[in-house]
Amino acid sequence: MIERMNNPRNAYLWMDVFRALAASLVAISHIRDIVLRDADPSDKLITKAFYFFTGFGHIGVVVFFVLSGYWITRSVMNKIDNQNFWQSYLIDRLSRLWIVLLPVIVIGGTLDWLGVNVWHLPNYMGDTGAHSIPGPIAETLGWRELIAAPFFAAAILVPALGSNGPLWSLSYEFWYYIWFPAAAMLVLRKRITPALAFVVLGFISPPLAYGFLSWLVGSALHFAIVRLQKVPRMKMEAAGLAVASIALLALLVIARIVQSEWLDPILALSFGIFLLMLCRCDPTCPTMFKPIASFGSMGSFSLYALHFPLAMALVGWLYGGLRQEPSLVSIAGTGALTLAAIAVAWFFSRATEAKTDLIRKFAKDKMKMQKHVATA
């Protein structure tokens, strides 16, 4: 049987499932780090398994980069020839980011300030040995970090605000949003834009430039899907999806064992190939996974942005800010805190992410009114 590939809607649902899974992996890896002490060779097998399967946080960020690269590239290429591309594009991107980031800065900064100045908990002092908290939170609760956070300079020009170190990837993402359309206009349309000047940030922060390699895998995925749009599907592609799945799983295990960021582009490429085969085959997403996909599309960003300062406060209240020995109770507590963070993020997203389209419409209507007045 041969058929044409149109929009792979089932594959898009799977992408949202992966986004939800990636955000959850990031959250539980951080929460486990601040709740439980480091793994020890003498730990029981079941404890070692728990540490292993909750250690995919960084890999979750790579997954986010690839998915982001795909969706942003798709959006850019659909609108790149619009006369007012940059105005419309920046409204789309900033409304999506700021509607979550700005309240997270306020909530996270407030919780961190209370933890340092009112509760005086050891996890805010950097005394527990948690890898996610390398030093006293007070050192990064200054005006410099507060001003830099909404302008995506965190972890590039200054440290991230307070405890919310995970915001580093949000800063990276924003500059990838700027770099890609600027480069696409130069290469594909022979147009030079002022946005190209921001490439200098890659020289200031080599990790920022290195992460772009993983993000560009998502861009390559978009172009590959477009190129293959009219190529008939074939039954053998199902076998290709199976092979890509096995290869990706094997690389995930290797990346978890080796734990080297030098593997990030290779892992991203493997995930990109898997997604390409997924889009070609477009397998049905089971009904039971659709709520997960819904959370992935409408709540995963909130979970990623909010989970750490929230978890810091909860760990302070419940455990006195101290890391625990792994046990059935403390492991269950780690899972319960992760579920609590997911629940809070979902309700938070209803007041933030869910309003993105309204904010965009308001901003674009304002922009049209200003143009009308200027040309009247």
Side-chain angles (χ1 to χ4, degrees), residues 211-256:
F212 196 40
L213 296 177
S214 296
W215 196 93
L216 285 174
V217 170
S219 293
L221 172 65
H222 165 75
F223 290 115
I225 290 174
V226 171
R227 180 64 64 90
L228 296 173
Q229 195 81 34
K230 297 181 180 180
V231 176
R233 289 177 177 152
M234 293 177 285
K235 285 186 176 181
M236 62 171 29
E237 288 179 330
L241 176 59
V243 171
S245 301
I246 294 170
L248 176 60
L249 287 172
L251 192 55
L252 285 171
V253 172
I254 292 171
R256 179 68 185 90

Side-chain angles (χ1 to χ4, degrees), residues 195-208:
L196 279 172
F198 290 107
V199 172
V200 71
L201 291 172
F203 294 95
I204 296 173
S205 174
L208 170 65

